[in-house]
Amino acid sequence: MGARARTWCFLVVLGLASMLFGESIRYTSYHTRRTHDLRGSLVPLEDSARPTPTANGESFSPPPPAAAATEAATTEAIATAATVPCCSLRGDVPLNFSLEWPVKMPRPIRVLMKHGNFDGPWPCDVPCEYMTLEPPDADVDVVVGEAAPPIVSAKIRRANPLVATAARSMESAIYYPSLRRLPEQVDASMTTDLQTSQVPVVYLTRSSIAKWNSVPVQWNASALLARFGGSAEGQPSAIFVARNCHSKNGREDLIKRLAARLRGGVDRPGSCLNSIHWPRCAASTAAAAAAEHGKCGKHAVMRRYPFYLAFENSDDVDYVSEKVFHGLEAGVLPVYLGAPNVAEFVPPSSVVEVRQFGHDVEKLARHLQGLLDEPERYLSYFAWKRRGNLPVAFQRKFGFVATHAKCRLCRWAWARKHKFAWDRRAQRPVPLEESRSIST
């Protein structure tokens, strides 16, 4: 073989070797990437029991079986925490029997809600229709009153002698004591009282729950210490926003005393106890700026403070307004005054309850300042974000909020009309064969 031929052979062999070596590097790089968990440490895959070659010709071996099991379990837990949303509802309980539409229903369930703001069909598994004016034929199934028994016309009673009555209110019964009598005055009360309402209406919504985990915690340890801890200059660490300054639980006096004792005080941009102007933010569009007059949204304002004082205007069981949920949605820590059973409405250990301090402002102020001085304690109130889904008890109690109250009222009316039992907890009709075991 001539010199030129030997040179070509050498080049061909060298090229093949380079290709094979490069492919080995690419395989090893891909394999190594796949065997890194979220923390960056090596975790063997199913095919990693044997040593795996690396780019420099060395190899690594999987850890001992016990260590591998621990590592895998840790990896699985981390992966689960990363993929399973903390705050989502399982969804509404599906109706497990046929509604026999249209055999039993020549028309949709009709609801007359004169104080409502909707006319037309409402999306629901029970066909239903809402109206704010009495229809020409006066044939309706339910007439709804606002915070009081409705007035049912004689024409409606002639058209449907079995017409049902309902009354709706999202106010506190401490403010409006007449609401406590509604269950005796109408066929279906619709209030925040979960014990007496056939169709409860609550401020907790599915969309709010979905936001709880999607928003990050707004204040980390370094930010808390730099701005509020130790000898830092006294800047307001809490915000209170409300319009009603005539509460039934003395929240205004509590706010004033807390503002005097909490380092930096309490900012109050709302109309009640106003102390500062409402902050302004740069709007994304000229139209948005004109519509809001350049004002920041409530959540954006709340995120400027570690604490949001979610103080209700009364302390009524089950009366949990949007305030505490806004704090969770904003990613700040709610300090709550109001319903004694608020813990049932929120993730575990996610709020500071004023009642736990016996309404003692000195103790409350010391606790809040201690959370700022020791940020790990403040951040412990957000540990629920890492625990997977919401507790089973929460899911069972509030699974019904996955379905709008308008649809649930139509379900209730359908059950009443066709003599089915009503499962108040699940908010659905019950087949006759199951009705004996369901408390209505």
Side-chain angles (χ1 to χ4, degrees):
M1 181 182 297
R4 180 174 295 182
R6 285 195 300 271
T7 301
W8 278 108
C9 287
F10 175 76
L11 292 174
V12 169
V13 171
L14 182 61
L16 290 172
S18 298
M19 291 173 61
L20 291 173
F21 185 67
E23 186 63 32
S24 174
I25 292 176
R26 282 194 294 274
Y27 165 78
T28 303
S29 175
Y30 166 75
H31 184 84
T32 304
R33 282 200 311 272
R34 288 188 63 212
T35 56
H36 275 75
D37 71 353
L38 298 177
R39 297 159 299 158
S41 58
L42 286 170
V43 180
L45 297 177
E46 295 76 15
D47 61 347
S48 302
R50 56 185 181 277
T52 302
T54 60
N56 60 6
E58 298 176 353
S59 63
F60 70 84
S61 298
T70 302
E71 194 91 48
T74 303
T75 303
E76 181 181 359
I78 292 174
T80 299
T83 57
V84 176
C86 154
C87 305
S88 61
L89 289 174
R90 296 173 184 169
D92 191 19
V93 179
L95 300 180
N96 58 1
F97 60 96
S98 171
L99 296 177
E100 299 185 27
W101 165 265
V103 176
K104 285 189 176 182
M105 297 180 65
R107 59 163 177 74
I109 293 292
R110 283 180 170 180
V111 180
L112 175 60
M113 185 181 286
K114 293 184 177 180
H115 295 278
N117 57 1
F118 182 83
D119 285 274
W122 186 266
C124 187
D125 43 16
V126 177
C128 64
E129 182 181 0
Y130 274 75
M131 53 197 71
T132 55
L133 297 175
E134 185 174 313
D137 62 2
D139 187 11
V140 298
D141 298 289
V142 187
V143 181
V144 183
E146 185 66 21
I151 298 175
V152 182
S153 69
K155 186 177 179 180
I156 288 178
R157 293 200 179 278
R158 285 195 300 270
N160 182 6
L162 299 178
V163 64
T165 57
R168 177 191 178 281
S169 175
M170 298 184 73
E171 299 293 343
S172 166
I174 290 181
Y175 252 93
Y176 302 95
S178 60
L179 295 177
R180 300 200 189 280
R181 298 193 296 272
L182 287 182
E184 305 166 2
Q185 299 172 326
V186 295
D187 298 306
S189 62
M190 303 176 68
T191 70
T192 60
D193 190 330
L194 300 178
Q195 301 303 314
T196 63
S197 293
Q198 293 288 355
V199 182
V201 286
V202 293
Y203 287 89
L204 179 64
T205 64
R206 187 174 192 172
S207 60
S208 175
I209 294 172
K211 296 174 185 175
W212 293 354
N213 198 49
S214 63
V215 65
V217 180
Q218 298 300 310
W219 292 87
N220 59 29
S222 58
L224 288 171
L225 287 175
R227 186 170 178 185
F228 303 105
S231 59
E233 292 184 9
Q235 299 187 59
S237 57
I239 181 173
F240 170 72
V241 180
R243 291 190 300 269
N244 181 356
C245 247
H246 303 283
S247 70
K248 298 291 186 179
N249 57 3
R251 69 179 178 185
E252 296 82 17
D253 181 62
L254 190 61
I255 292 292
K256 292 176 183 177
R257 290 189 287 140
L258 186 60
R261 289 163 177 80
L262 187 61
R263 188 185 304 165
V266 176
D267 275 350
R268 305 180 297 276
S271 56
C272 177
L273 302 179
N274 179 265
S275 64
I276 63 170
H277 291 296
W278 191 272
R280 295 183 176 275
C281 292
S284 57
T285 65
E292 298 295 331
H293 304 290
K295 289 185 177 180
C296 299
K298 183 177 180 181
H299 287 56
V301 174
M302 291 165 56
R303 291 180 181 126
R304 301 182 179 193
Y305 307 83
F307 303 117
Y308 171 56
L309 305 184
F311 287 15
E312 308 284 14
N313 58 29
S314 59
D315 300 348
D316 196 9
V317 173
D318 289 342
Y319 180 69
V320 180
S321 75
E322 74 285 353
K323 293 178 178 61
V324 68
F325 305 132
H326 283 175
L328 296 174
E329 293 170 17
V332 298
L333 179 56
V335 180
Y336 184 80
L337 173 71
N341 64 330
V342 66
E344 300 172 10
F345 289 73
V346 296
S349 304
S350 61
V351 303
V352 176
E353 292 189 59
V354 173
R355 70 182 184 88
Q356 293 178 343
F357 301 88
H359 291 71
D360 187 320
V361 177
E362 294 283 357
K363 290 182 180 179
L364 176 61
R366 284 198 300 270
H367 178 74
L368 297 181
Q369 191 57 53
L371 298 183
L372 299 178
D373 293 336
E374 301 177 60
E376 67 276 7
R377 292 174 55 201
Y378 175 88
L379 295 173
S380 70
Y381 281 92
F382 298 90
W384 53 271
K385 286 178 173 282
R386 304 190 301 270
R387 293 175 185 159
N389 221 324
L390 292 165
V392 173
F394 183 95
Q395 299 274 359
R396 288 176 177 169
K397 189 178 184 74
F398 295 108
F400 70 84
V401 305
T403 302
H404 197 282
K406 281 185 169 66
C407 176
R408 291 186 279 114
L409 179 60
C410 283
R411 286 182 178 180
W412 173 85
W414 184 93
R416 181 180 184 273
K417 186 173 185 176
H418 298 288
K419 301 186 183 338
F420 276 63
W422 177 246
D423 185 338
R424 184 182 296 177
R425 181 187 64 79
Q427 291 286 286
R428 66 178 181 92
V430 180
L432 294 178
E433 59 271 19
E434 296 182 20
S435 61
R436 295 175 183 175
S437 63
I438 300 295
S439 173
T440 58

